[in-house]
């Protein structure tokens, strides 16, 4: 039956499976989201209804209720299903003559129209209960009905949204928001942030301080949006984070600051980035790295959704060097193995030419990962992997299969000597059906390549039915001991900050600042969840002289733009440090959503457009006048390019 | 003694009396701010200290504590006072030889340097307790000390900040934030907002939804900041409020939305306005005006600071017409009387010419207010009042004094007949020493003038020592039944929205929309506190056809800019309404601060400048290029004007 299957899909949270949620259901949405032992909010205070549709149970039998909601479904003019933000309930359409006007309203209103009904909660006839529906034991015998707003013909059936492009969903976002999944995502986001606030404010005495978003551009702030002011040639800048303000608040003695901060970054078109995003921004005085880490572990444990397994603390920690050597990345997904192993020593006497060549170089290494059950990959997968290595890293990759019965099945086997084979098998704990991916080259490059291939093999294996990464598992990891500086790609003799120029050096490395600054480790820490960076922070420099030396001498920055901060450090700045968590990314991982756009109420498209209202938009020249700016129109050819691209609206 | 007086001033919250707070004191700041019966936060978790300076009491005697803070004061190298965000504590500097290094650190560090000390909490010697200091019964016998950061010579002594200009305070905001008053204001703000969130989220099921600030310009959005995008000629707009989004969320079935929303308004230079400000933004489905009012009353009662008298609910309510007729304004301060009285009938047969003239006109009235104890005003005050009426309203005002012994002391007395005098005295309940201010003219104009004079008389009387407005009294008032439209000043045949074009008409006036729209009342409500508007909202139009008629036919707006909203209303928009509270203004009134800048961590100056970092700032032309804009430099004379005004920095 149509209704049954639709309801059961809906009640399993699968109406539009953009995420991987299976637990919460429409009818229990509010309850599953309500905070642990705390009282359940009054969802019907101050309004026309007495109850929400989704909350009605057998315990309400006999009660007269007033409900407001949308007509989700109607069957043969005998009953309909009413939906509100808390779930679905079945309404019996009265058939007797005296209720003709009620029947007319309920039968004639188009689907998705808004109605108010009053009636009595009654039991469903025996055998007609719907156990998959949280309100499936009861139904409503209606006395009065009022059409609050009729719905015109929709651009699509809401339940078919799963078949629509994301562009269409974004264009009609207000309809998309009616889906179970978007309701769940936004309500969960609100709840998690609320619990974070309780933890920070009520349990640990943090002060929620709002900092300006109309600010001055920062050194190297090329990704900052500009806001013209009414003063000719003067612009505000929308900051990428409240970094300067949070440090100044510490100088101002605020002691413990947090903010759910709106941040801005103009990166042009980038998939899965948003021009405005939200971070949980935290700063503390008199704290060290461990203090911040324990604070954040407690924060996540406290605010973690009740419908997930509790977060275990403390989180494991790994140095940057170890993360790179073992996982080929600074944000390892530690839910699965496939660790990188240095097998240079195994191949000191190899006959394989490209390994020979690599090992002959001073920094040369041979590295490998063992892909469990890699034998399930197809030939096209292997081709894809090798092509990827060639295109992106100009590296050779050797897939080596071990088959216990047939011994080495790889064509390269003949060049691998028996003792090499044995040593490799021992070192990498190779099993039947496993595949080894082997490459050679300089340490960092070889690790980076294998780090990428590790993730691609996981993707490919999961496509082939071998599950490596449990979506219900949340593996947090601290990555620490990052280098304070990296050399600039375009100019290797110059340094730039690995994190940002306010990060304090590791105290035991301070002497190296004046001799070998590239060897200094920073007091910087990243928080990684399932292979995504969800936060990062550092202990800051509180010594003005050191900050000046790093900015001016080592980084060659224009310190004038930061003179206020340098001055502030001189006037009794306390030692301080902090962190910022990327809220959108965190929620995306928690809900299992495929994109951060699914945890944001009104996201921009990957090109930075609001597809609902068509922002950004043209502005008449007279409205630019007060800001003393005018548009520099590009030459014709560029203009055509620009004009030729707004196809995103409906076809992407 | 210097220390004693400084401490006692500080402990009474009077170190820089920008507000009128007398209750909270440094040492009990955290406790007085902690939430009623809820647990006190752990202020020393995760950090180097064991306790805060301000929390130590006799109950801590004998405990070894580690404290971090700023050196507030030092006396004869024998003791110093250490300050942190929670208060002050006295530290005994050890004098014995073995502690020479500790003594050296504590004696040589400049004031406002940051130190960490460990020591034991001991009793002060009998007779040396300081009862005005919350930690005045104890002191710390120090064992170790560490200089965490030395303070360079400050641009001023922090305790002298009260003598500095506000521009200097804003330039060194990070030092200004160390003052008791700013700490109190920001911490109270955080606490009030947290309690509002608890009320909305945890008690009433509201969903905190973040809405975009990079959006499309709205019709008539002349006060919106523009943000150039990388597409030539295309701009985002920073919205003045999330109005459209909150309505779209209701269409999306979110049911109960709130947000502590950052809003933007570019009004150029205006005193006591900020280009970015914060509002508590609320929207509900299936609600009426009363529902929103009860919600907000509960919200304010729940979040009201514990150190103030509780808020009494429900708040009184007054129609716009009554507010205008009685108080001459739509935001009456009802803490005091001086109501406007229509005394036209008293003067139907007057011999006073300008009253005669006024009453001869069809809309002519005579109005008066009785200024209690107005006889205490000076002659210059009366001159000021009359000049004000002439300059701003081109109106004549008659001050009439009643002196029981000398009868009418006013020179106009001779023209006022005995029966007029008696009737006036009876109607206005005039007492000895009162003054009547009398004017004539059209109803609205006469009321507006007397409304202004009412406030100015209150100011003048308070300068003369007659207190009319109790600063500890918080008088909330709903003002309702506003007209839906007003005629445009520049073109009286055209209408504009009194509130905004989404406000629903009063149901009983709907028929007038098509005949006499200027007579339609809107379902709009303002919340007024002590004469300031702190909030406003409305029940919205949920009918697309009605919304189109009002926008296109009555207001002649370009509906294209709002097509997404009109479309949304067609697809099953629920009836809905909401409100927004101005958080900065509310906090300003609650703390008694003289300016909203005192409840904002990093405010802009009245010219929209950040005086600390010098924002807005120049941007090199190459950074404008990606945004396809260039600066239109004004002609020389204008430029000079612009260049001649940055004197604000230090001299205003």
């Amino acid at each position: 039956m149509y209704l049954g299957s639709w309801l059961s899909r809906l009640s399993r949270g699968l109406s539009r499976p953009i995420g991987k949620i299976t637990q919460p259901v429409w009818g229990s949405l509010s309850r599953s989201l309500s905070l642990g032992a705390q009282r359940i909010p009054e969802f019907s205070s101050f309004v026309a209804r007495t109850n929400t549709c989704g909350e009605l149970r057998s315990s309400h039998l006999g009660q007269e209720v007033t409900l407001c909601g949308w007509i989700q479904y109607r069957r043969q003019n005998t009953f309909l299903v009413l939906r509100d933000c808390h779930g679905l309930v079945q309404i019996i359409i009265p058939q007797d003559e005296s209720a003709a006007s009620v029947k007319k309203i309920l039968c004639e209103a188009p689907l998705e129209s808004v109605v108010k009904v009053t009636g009595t909660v009654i039991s469903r006839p025996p055998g007609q209960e719907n156990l998959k529906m949280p309100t499936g034991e009861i139904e409503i015998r209606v006395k009065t009905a009022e059409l609050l707003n009729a719905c015109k013909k929709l651009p699509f059936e809401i339940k078919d949204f799963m078949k629509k492009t994301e562009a269409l969903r974004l264009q009609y976002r207000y309809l998309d928001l009616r889906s179970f999944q978007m309701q769940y995502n936004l309500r969960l986001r609100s709840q998690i942030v609320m619990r974070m606030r309780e933890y920070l404010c009520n349990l640990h005495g943090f002060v929620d301080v709002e900092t300006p978003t109309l600010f001055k551009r920062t050194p190297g702030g090329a990704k900052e949006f500009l806001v013209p002011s009414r003063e000719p040639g003067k612009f505000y800048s929308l900051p990428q984070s409240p970094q300067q303000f949070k440090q100044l608040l510490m100088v101002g003695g605020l002691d413990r600051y947090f903010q759910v901060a709106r941040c801005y970054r103009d990166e042009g078109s980038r998939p899965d980035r948003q021009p405005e995003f939200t971070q949980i921004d935290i700063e503390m005085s008199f704290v060290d790295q461990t203090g911040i880490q324990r604070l954040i572990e407690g924060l996540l444990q406290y605010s973690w959704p009740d419908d997930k397994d509790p977060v275990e603390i403390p989180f494991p920690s790994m140095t940057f060097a170890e993360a790179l050597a073992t996982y080929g990345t600074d944000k390892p997904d530690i839910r699965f193995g496939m660790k990188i192993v240095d097998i240079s020593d195994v191949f000191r006497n190899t006959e394989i030419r490209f390994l020979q060549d690599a090992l002959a170089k001073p920094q040369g290494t041979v590295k490998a990962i063992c892909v469990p059950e890699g034998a399930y990959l197809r030939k096209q997968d292997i081709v894809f992997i090798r092509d990827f290595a060639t295109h992106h890293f100009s590296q050779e990759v050797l897939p080596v299969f071990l088959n216990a019965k047939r011994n080495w099945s790889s064509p390269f086997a003949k060049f691998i000597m028996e003792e090499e084979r044995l040593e490799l098998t021992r070192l990498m704990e190779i099993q039947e059906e496993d595949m080894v991916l082997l490459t050679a080259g300089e340490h960092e490059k070889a690790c980076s390549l294998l780090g990428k291939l590790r993730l691609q093999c996981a993707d490919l294996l999961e496509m082939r039915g071998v599950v490596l990464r449990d979506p219900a598992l949340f593996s947090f990891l601290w990555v620490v001991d990052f280098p304070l500086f990296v050399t600039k790609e375009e100019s290797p003799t110059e340094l730039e900050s690995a994190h940002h120029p306010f990060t304090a050096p590791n105290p035991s490395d301070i002497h190296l600042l004046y001799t070998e600054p590239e060897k200094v480790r920073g007091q910087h820490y990243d928080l990684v969840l399932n292979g995504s960076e969800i936060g990062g922070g550092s202990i800051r420099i509180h010594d003005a002289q050191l900050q000046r030396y790093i900015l001016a001498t080592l980084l060659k920055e224009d310190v004038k733009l930061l003179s206020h901060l340098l001055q502030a450090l001189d006037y009794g700045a306390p030692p301080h440090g902090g962190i910022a968590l990327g809220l959108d990314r965190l929620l995306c991982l928690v809900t299992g959503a495929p994109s951060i756009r699914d945890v944001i109420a009104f996201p921009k498209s990957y090109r930075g457009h609001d597809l609902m209202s068509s922002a950004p938009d043209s502005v008449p020249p007279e409205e630019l006048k007060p800001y003393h700016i005018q548009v520099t129109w590009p030459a014709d050819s560029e203009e055509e390019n620009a004009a030729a691209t707004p196809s995103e609206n409906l076809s992407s």
Side-chain angles (χ1 to χ4, degrees), chain A:
Chain A
M1 189 178 98
Y2 171 72
L3 175 67
S5 79
W6 161 234
L7 279 182
S8 79
R9 274 165 61 215
L10 190 66
S11 69
R12 276 180 284 125
L14 298 173
S15 62
R16 190 165 48 73
I18 60 171
K20 285 166 179 157
I21 300 146
T22 50
Q23 281 221 347
V25 292
W26 256 117
S28 60
L29 182 60
S30 55
R31 273 156 217 278
S32 74
L33 284 176
S34 76
L35 308 180
Q38 295 188 25
R39 64 185 273 193
I40 294 171
E42 291 175 29
F43 290 106
S44 298
S45 45
F46 309 113
V47 290
R49 64 175 174 248
T50 59
N51 296 79
T52 63
C53 296
E55 72 174 315
L56 297 173
R57 297 288 183 277
S58 290
S59 58
H60 296 88
L61 282 178
Q63 287 187 17
E64 177 157 312
V65 294
T66 301
L67 306 174
C68 298
W70 286 261
I71 301 177
Q72 170 97 7
Y73 177 76
R74 183 167 42 218
R75 185 176 163 84
Q76 293 166 345
N77 291 347
T78 56
F79 67 87
L80 58 79
V81 172
L82 196 66
R83 184 194 73 234
D84 69 11
C85 55
H86 292 281
L88 305 169
V89 70
Q90 182 161 295
I91 307 280
I92 304 301
I93 301 175
Q95 303 297 327
D96 43 318
E97 197 61 30
S98 63
S101 67
V102 171
K103 181 174 181 183
K104 187 174 153 70
I105 288 170
L106 295 180
C107 291
E108 291 183 1
L111 294 189
E112 290 301 314
S113 293
V114 189
V115 295
K116 180 165 102 174
V117 298
T118 59
T120 310
V121 182
I122 57 172
S123 283
R124 293 202 189 182
Q128 291 190 30
E129 299 89 352
N130 181 345
L131 296 180
K132 290 177 180 164
M133 190 175 176
T135 63
E137 292 188 346
I138 59 98
E139 55 194 8
I140 309 295
R141 188 197 293 136
V142 167
K143 292 198 188 95
T144 68
E146 185 184 344
L147 177 65
L148 297 175
N149 209 357
C151 183
K152 284 214 174 155
K153 182 158 171 39
L154 292 171
F156 38 75
E157 285 190 74
I158 294 216
K159 63 181 184 296
D160 281 348
F161 232 151
M162 55 189 296
K163 297 176 194 159
K164 303 298 164 193
T165 62
E166 195 189 4
L168 198 61
R169 285 179 50 209
L170 290 179
Q171 188 187 347
Y172 295 98
R173 189 58 157 186
Y174 44 88
L175 296 177
D176 189 35
L177 290 177
R178 292 185 191 165
S179 68
F180 169 82
Q181 191 66 64
M182 283 306 303
Q183 291 274 332
Y184 176 80
N185 290 357
L186 294 183
R187 285 167 196 273
L188 185 69
R189 182 179 178 126
S190 170
Q191 295 282 5
I192 286 182
V193 171
M194 187 64 199
R195 293 189 79 157
M196 287 181 168
R197 291 178 180 281
E198 288 169 2
Y199 176 85
L200 292 168
C201 250
N202 296 352
L203 300 191
H204 293 289
F206 279 74
V207 188
D208 179 6
V209 181
E210 299 171 66
T211 59
T213 56
L214 294 173
F215 193 47
K216 183 194 178 89
R217 75 195 173 96
T218 43
K223 288 174 180 170
E224 288 174 357
F225 285 102
L226 296 172
V227 181
S229 78
R230 286 172 190 258
E231 285 173 69
K234 297 289 180 76
F235 294 81
Y236 299 105
S237 202
L238 299 176
Q240 292 189 41
S241 86
Q243 182 63 35
Q244 293 184 46
F245 291 114
K246 65 203 278 196
Q247 294 195 240
L248 292 168
L249 286 171
M250 295 305 106
V251 180
L254 256 289
D255 197 58
R256 298 175 165 225
Y257 144 89
F258 87 102
Q259 183 182 195
V260 181
R262 190 69 60 90
C263 303
Y264 300 85
R265 196 181 296 150
D266 180 18
E267 301 185 291
S269 301
R270 282 191 59 177
D272 228 24
R273 288 285 180 104
Q274 288 285 310
E276 51 184 320
F277 57 97
T278 304
Q279 65 188 35
I280 309 292
D281 200 48
I282 289 173
E283 196 81 8
M284 296 172 86
S285 293
F286 312 114
V287 74
D288 62 10
Q289 179 164 325
T290 310
I292 297 283
Q293 289 175 334
R294 294 301 90 83
L295 170 83
I296 294 301
E297 289 160 356
L299 175 77
L300 287 164
Q301 188 180 54
Y302 185 87
S303 60
W304 205 245
D306 297 334
D307 61 1
K308 311 261 179 272
D309 289 337
V311 169
E312 280 177 33
I313 62 172
F315 302 153
S317 183
M318 190 181 286
T319 67
F320 167 75
E322 187 186 349
L324 182 68
T326 316
Y327 296 97
T329 174
D330 57 357
K331 36 181 187 284
D333 187 342
I334 57 170
R335 283 176 300 174
F336 66 107
M338 274 204 241
K339 293 181 184 175
I340 299 167
V341 182
D342 190 308
I343 50 171
S344 306
D345 288 345
V346 179
F347 289 96
R348 291 289 168 210
N349 303 312
T350 184
E351 290 171 14
I352 302 173
R353 170 62 66 88
F354 87 99
L355 299 183
Q356 271 181 5
D357 290 353
L359 287 172
K361 289 183 186 150
Q363 307 291 328
T365 65
V366 180
K367 310 262 187 191
I369 54 175
C370 174
V371 182
E373 308 192 69
Y376 291 106
L377 294 177
R378 300 189 187 165
K379 193 177 173 191
Q380 73 216 57
D381 298 337
I382 309 295
V383 171
F384 174 82
I385 287 168
R386 300 191 66 177
D387 283 356
F388 178 88
T390 314
H391 285 135
H392 295 277
F393 286 77
S394 310
Q395 290 273 103
E396 188 96 42
V397 171
L398 283 194
V400 180
F401 293 95
L402 176 67
N403 185 310
K405 284 176 191 153
R406 293 185 293 124
N407 209 340
W408 295 96
S409 69
S410 161
F412 296 92
K414 59 182 169 185
F415 299 108
I416 298 180
M417 291 172 290
E418 179 61 13
E419 62 267 35
E420 289 169 353
R421 193 187 65 77
L422 286 173
E423 182 60 8
L424 198 58
T425 309
R426 188 189 65 78
L427 260 179
M428 305 201 62
E429 299 175 352
I430 305 172
Q431 309 266 320
E432 261 192 79
E433 314 294 342
D434 288 355
M435 172 181 76
V436 168
L437 283 182
L438 188 152
T439 192
E442 180 266 321
H443 172 75
E444 196 177 319
K445 199 173 169 188
C447 290
S448 295
L449 169 59
L450 289 177
K452 287 272 195 306
L453 295 184
R454 176 176 175 267
L455 294 177
Q456 288 189 332
C457 287
D459 286 346
L460 293 165
L461 280 170
E462 286 177 359
M463 275 169 58
R464 305 297 173 217
V466 182
V467 175
L468 288 172
R469 296 168 293 196
D470 179 357
L473 198 66
F474 293 94
S475 288
F476 291 95
L477 173 73
W478 291 109
V479 179
V480 299
D481 283 353
F482 283 83
L484 190 57
F485 306 106
V486 292
T487 53
K488 285 188 184 172
E489 236 174 272
E490 65 280 15
S491 158
T493 58
E494 291 177 55
L495 295 177
E496 61 187 357
S497 297
H499 181 43
H500 62 48
F502 314 114
T503 302
N506 190 313
S508 50
D509 294 354
I510 280 198
H511 61 286
L512 294 170
L513 271 177
Y514 308 94
T515 52
E516 298 172 286
E518 67 284 358
K519 291 199 177 158
V520 175
R521 291 164 302 163
Q523 293 191 62
H524 167 56
Y525 30 86
D526 270 356
L527 182 58
V528 174
L529 171 57
N530 292 358
S532 289
E533 184 193 326
I534 57 159
S538 62
I539 301 303
R540 327 296 184 185
I541 297 168
H542 63 272
D543 180 273
Q545 206 181 334
L546 177 60
Q547 184 68 76
R548 251 184 224 107
Y549 174 75
I550 286 179
L551 280 170
T553 309
L554 294 182
L555 297 173
K556 322 265 189 247
E557 290 281 7
D558 177 6
V559 292
K560 255 182 264 158
L561 282 171
L562 288 169
S563 57
H564 53 285
L565 186 67
L566 288 166
Q567 203 169 30
L569 295 183
D570 262 338
Y571 294 140
H576 61 288
I579 195 166
L581 302 182
L583 184 63
D584 307 301
R585 174 70 48 211
L586 175 63
L587 258 294
C588 188
L589 291 166
V590 171
T591 59
S595 156
I596 58 167
R597 291 185 293 279
D598 292 312
V599 296
I600 296 172
F602 298 99
K604 303 284 191 297
S605 74
Y606 76 99
R607 291 187 61 224
H609 287 183
D610 179 307
L611 299 184
M612 187 177 64
S613 72
S614 309
D617 199 8
S618 304
V619 168
E622 65 270 20
E623 290 190 20
L624 300 180
K625 252 190 174 170
Y627 299 106
H628 307 279
I629 55 168
Q630 55 182 307
V631 176
T632 324
W633 292 99
D636 277 359
S637 58
E638 288 178 63
E639 202 170 3
E640 272 167 35
N641 282 340
T645 44
S647 57
E648 179 187 52
N649 260 356
L650 286 169
S651 67
S652 78

